[in-house]
Amino acid sequence: MSRVFVKVCGITRPEDGLLAAEAGADAVGFVFYPMSPRRVDVSRAAEIAREIPPLVARVGVFVDAARDEMARVADEVGLDLLQLHGEEPPETLEGLPRRALKAVRVGKGFTPEVALRYRGAAGVVVDTRLVGETVMPGGTGTPFDWTLVKGLRDRVGFLMLAGGLTPDNVAEAIREVRPHAVDVSSGVERLPGRKEPARVRAFVEAVRAVEREGGGR
């Protein structure tokens, strides 16, 4: 059975980046969206990125950012991937400085066609859209109805599941959605941008446990 890729997002401190790596995460995420409580400035992200082992991917999360800005940040921080979390149209994916994951928000009225518009991306991230919520593009801490994306992994090249994942529900989520990857942020925190070591370790172990039982892909 294939391994489920684990990303720990919202890293704002070197110790949390190292914690994620030591726990067995495959990637860490840096949020560059100014309105996020987990925002990190570029120089700080570059400092953290230098501390992280080289085989752990560095992912930059952007919301409707200019292409030149993403290129500058990617070079300064040493990003391996971009994660676009705004209302970017499919043509935004052309000519980017790094491969990009495109997030789509899942809620009432969601159809797979929303995600399939972005098959040109390196992968699609499915995250929560709260009822009436129009500002925060992620980090809600609330899971969505996973049945809405059941079967989507077979229609996109790479599917990452986000939105309210925790050590307690990630195994069930993997069994239901069968994603290629999972993305966690608030579910392993004690405060926004401050990771709780026991929860980070428990999250990664829960993913690995469901792999061993054959509950993932």
Side-chain angles (χ1 to χ4, degrees):
M1 171 185 161
S2 298
R3 195 168 186 265
V4 178
F5 187 93
V6 175
K7 172 174 166 268
V8 178
C9 200
I11 297 296
T12 63
R13 306 187 301 167
E15 55 264 44
D16 287 346
L18 288 170
L19 165 66
E22 290 164 2
D26 302 287
V28 296
F30 302 111
V31 178
F32 299 108
Y33 179 47
M35 294 183 66
S36 172
R38 299 170 185 87
R39 178 186 178 274
V40 63
D41 65 43
V42 176
S43 60
R44 180 69 161 168
E47 174 190 345
I48 299 169
R50 287 192 293 269
E51 298 282 338
I52 296 169
L55 294 183
V56 176
R58 289 107 166 118
V59 183
V61 179
F62 299 89
V63 177
D64 298 315
R67 184 177 279 104
D68 289 349
E69 174 69 5
M70 289 190 282
R72 180 185 69 81
V73 174
D75 288 342
E76 188 168 337
V77 178
L79 298 177
D80 300 296
L81 282 168
L82 309 179
Q83 188 168 321
L84 308 186
H85 254 270
E87 300 298 326
E88 300 90 355
E91 52 267 29
T92 303
L93 299 167
E94 299 172 8
L96 290 175
R98 301 288 191 278
R99 299 180 73 199
L101 305 172
K102 178 65 185 84
V104 297
R105 298 164 70 197
V106 181
K108 185 178 179 180
F110 174 83
T111 64
E113 285 65 35
V114 175
L116 296 178
R117 295 174 62 218
Y118 297 100
R119 278 181 290 192
V124 171
V125 183
V126 283
D127 203 346
T128 303
R129 180 187 293 277
L130 297 178
V131 175
E133 194 279 306
T134 59
V135 178
M136 292 305 295
T140 65
T142 304
F144 60 84
D145 179 357
W146 297 322
T147 64
L148 294 173
V149 297
K150 195 168 184 177
L152 186 59
R153 72 172 299 277
D154 296 324
R155 303 179 68 184
V156 298
F158 183 87
L159 182 67
M160 177 179 281
L161 176 64
L165 296 179
T166 71
D168 300 318
N169 69 12
V170 68
E172 180 186 357
I174 292 171
R175 295 185 192 105
E176 184 75 25
V177 179
R178 298 176 61 240
H180 300 95
V182 290
D183 190 1
V184 66
S185 186
S186 62
V188 292
E189 289 180 339
R190 55 175 177 265
L191 293 169
R194 298 291 187 270
K195 305 308 181 193
E196 175 59 53
R199 291 186 67 78
V200 172
R201 297 186 186 103
F203 185 90
V204 177
E205 175 52 32
V207 175
R208 304 304 172 218
V210 79
E211 290 172 345
R212 291 192 292 270
E213 73 180 35
R217 292 186 279 153

